[in-house]
Amino acid sequence: MSHTGAILEFATTRHDLPAAARADALRLIADTLATGAAGAASPEALRLLPLVQRWGASSEARALSGARLPAVSAAFFNGFAIHCLEWDAVHEGAVVHAMSVVTAALLAGADRMGGCDPDAFLAALTVGVDVASGLGLAATGPMRFFRPATAGVIGAALALAQLEGVSAADALGFACAFAGGTMQAHVEASIALPLQIARAAQAAVQAVDLAKAGLVAPHDVLEGPFGYSALIEPLDLARYTASLGAVWRISEVSVKPFPSGRASHGALAALQALRDEGVIGLDEVECIDLSAPPLVGRLVGRPYREHAAPSHNRLCLAFLAPLMLRDGRIDPRLDRTVPALARRVTVSVDGNPDLNALSPQRITVRLKDGTAVERAIPANPGSPEAPLSPTQSAAKLDLCRELAPGADPRLFDDPLSYLTDPQ
C-alpha cells in the first residue's frame, strides 16, 4: 500500500480513541475554544466580522462571536479567531497549528448537521490533527509555505469527511488543490497569517462539499509528480506512516501559555520565573540574549520596531521580553509603552542542525552591575515535556474570559457540548 493509501485508510476508520488520546482531545478543545473566544472579541476580528457577514445570508453555523453565518464563512471567521492572538495550540515538532484549522472546519460541519455524536466529533478531530501533524513531521526541510495552512487544510478536510461520511480520497484531492499560504506573511508579521488559517478551514469545508456533490478530485496528490511533496515541501512520508495509529499525535500537541509566537515562549517563561523569584527586576537589566535554533531566530528574532502593528509585536521577542519583566504576563491587548530594554534584546542562532526545532534554548540576562544570569530552556512551557501547571492553565482561561465577557458560557464550561450541540 502507498503512503497515501495508508493515510486514507487511517482517515476513513472510525477509531475508538485510547483514554489518553481522548483526554488530550478534550483538554485541547477547551484551550482552543477559549483562545477562539478571546480572538473573536479582538479588534482585528471585529473588523473582519462585517466583511464575512456580507459573504452570504444563510445562518447554518455559529461564529465564536455569537453571529450565525454560512458554514464556509463561519469556518473562515473561527479559524481566524482561534489563531489571530497567536495563542492557539501547536505541534512543535511538526510546526503545525492543527487544532485551529480542524476545530474551525469541524464546528461548521457539525452545526450544519444539526449537531453530532460527541465521540464521533472527537474521533474525527483526533484523526484530522494526526494527519496535519504527521505531514509536518514528514517534512524534510524548512518551511517555505505556511505549514499550518497547507498541512492543516488536508487534516481538516479528512476530519470533516469522516464526520460527514464523504469520500476521503476526493476530499484529500480537493484540499490539496486548495492548499496555499506562504511564509512571507510571517516574515512581514502580517495579519495574513491568521487569514491563511481561516482560508484553510474554509477550503476544507468546500473540499468536502465538492466531494459530497460527486465531483472527482485528483487522487495522487501527496506523492504524485505535481503533488504536495513535489511542489509544497519535500516529504518522507514513512516518518509518519510507520507509526500511524500506534502513536496519537494529538497527545504531542503543546498548549501556548502566552499570546505570542510559540518560539518566544521558552524565553518568556524563563524571564517570568526569574522575575517572580526575585532574581531580576526590569530596572536591573542591561540586555538580554537568547541562544536558540535557527527557526526561533527566524520566527521571533525580528528587531523591535516603534509603533509596529500588534501582529508584528506578537512575533517579536524584543517587544515581548520587557513586557514580561514589567508585568509578569503577556496581555494580548499589548500595551505599546515598551521599556527601552526592547532595543537591547537579541536572538543568537545556535548550531542546531534541525531546521524545524524550537528547543533547546539558553537565555542570558546581563545586569547593569556587570553580572549575568543564565538559564537553560530544555523545552517550551505547555509542551508534553513541560506541561502547564493547573495554576498556569487557569490563568490563561481566566484571561480569555476577561477578554470575551459576552461569549457563550459553554465555550469555557462545556466545550464538547458547544461543539456538538448547537441548541
Side-chain angles (χ1 to χ4, degrees):
M1 182 185 295
S2 69
H3 296 297
T4 301
I7 290 170
L8 286 171
E9 181 178 292
F10 172 72
T12 53
T13 299
R14 173 66 186 274
H15 300 275
D16 291 324
L17 298 177
R22 190 178 193 278
D24 285 325
L26 288 169
R27 175 176 58 85
L28 288 164
I29 62 171
D31 177 84
T32 299
L33 290 184
T35 299
S42 68
E44 297 94 333
L46 294 177
R47 286 196 294 270
L48 177 66
L49 183 59
L51 172 62
V52 175
Q53 288 174 318
R54 292 200 297 270
W55 290 353
S58 68
S59 57
E60 57 192 353
R62 293 166 293 168
L64 295 174
S65 65
R68 296 196 66 90
L69 302 167
V72 291
S73 299
F76 186 98
F77 180 84
N78 290 338
F80 177 87
I82 293 168
H83 187 64
C84 72
L85 297 180
E86 286 284 349
W87 219 355
D88 49 327
V90 59
H91 190 297
E92 288 191 35
V95 201
V96 173
H97 297 261
M99 284 295 299
S100 313
V101 186
V102 175
T103 304
L106 280 179
L107 173 57
D111 270 8
R112 68 182 181 181
M113 293 167 63
C116 68
D117 175 71
D119 287 332
F121 188 99
L122 288 175
L125 174 88
T126 303
V127 164
V129 169
D130 207 283
V131 172
S133 301
L135 291 175
L137 291 169
T140 60
M143 289 185 293
R144 295 175 298 169
F145 286 81
F146 185 50
R147 198 175 289 155
T150 53
V153 68
I154 292 169
L158 290 176
L160 187 55
Q162 182 181 118
L163 188 68
E164 296 197 15
V166 173
S167 165
D170 289 315
L172 170 64
F174 287 126
C176 281
F178 297 157
T182 79
M183 284 298 289
Q184 189 61 35
H186 205 294
V187 169
E188 299 185 25
S190 167
I191 199 65
L193 271 178
L195 289 170
Q196 289 177 165
I197 282 186
R199 180 68 185 103
Q202 181 186 57
V205 176
Q206 292 170 324
V208 168
D209 283 351
L210 293 169
K212 193 188 305 183
L215 298 177
V216 179
H219 288 171
D220 194 13
V221 291
L222 295 181
E223 303 171 84
F226 298 98
Y228 188 108
S229 183
L231 297 182
I232 293 178
E233 60 180 342
L235 301 176
D236 178 3
L237 284 170
R239 292 184 182 180
Y240 174 46
T241 59
S243 59
L244 194 60
V247 177
W248 290 95
R249 301 299 175 181
I250 197 165
S251 296
E252 300 171 345
V253 172
S254 298
V255 170
K256 296 172 69 174
F258 311 120
S260 61
R262 180 56 172 168
S264 68
H265 285 198
L268 292 176
L271 293 173
Q272 184 181 54
L274 289 170
R275 176 189 185 276
D276 292 348
E277 293 164 9
V279 177
I280 60 173
L282 174 63
D283 293 340
E284 302 170 85
V285 177
E286 176 62 29
C287 62
I288 298 170
D289 182 68
L290 179 70
S291 176
L295 184 60
V296 175
R298 181 180 172 191
L299 297 182
V300 298
R302 67 196 76 229
Y304 168 71
R305 197 172 72 212
E306 195 172 0
H307 306 306
S311 58
H312 176 278
N313 293 336
R314 290 188 182 101
L315 301 174
C316 176
L317 181 62
F319 175 91
L320 298 162
L323 289 188
M324 179 58 79
L325 286 176
R326 188 189 69 189
D327 302 335
R329 71 174 190 173
I330 303 298
D331 188 307
R333 290 163 286 199
L334 295 180
D335 178 0
R336 297 194 196 185
T337 58
V338 181
L341 175 61
R343 301 189 184 279
R344 303 191 300 276
V345 177
T346 55
V347 177
S348 301
V349 173
D350 65 19
N352 195 320
D354 184 351
L355 297 179
N356 290 313
L358 292 175
S359 60
Q361 306 172 22
R362 176 173 290 275
I363 193 167
T364 301
V365 182
R366 299 198 179 278
L367 305 181
K368 292 177 180 177
D369 65 7
T371 61
V373 178
E374 293 191 17
R375 287 289 186 274
I377 306 169
N380 287 311
S383 66
E385 298 79 16
L388 299 186
S389 68
T391 300
Q392 290 172 313
S393 296
K396 175 175 179 177
L397 291 180
D398 287 346
L399 184 51
C400 288
R401 287 180 189 269
E402 177 186 333
L403 294 165
D408 187 325
R410 289 192 301 159
L411 283 164
F412 300 98
D413 301 331
D414 196 355
L416 184 58
S417 170
Y418 178 89
L419 289 167
T420 59
D421 182 8
Q423 293 188 0

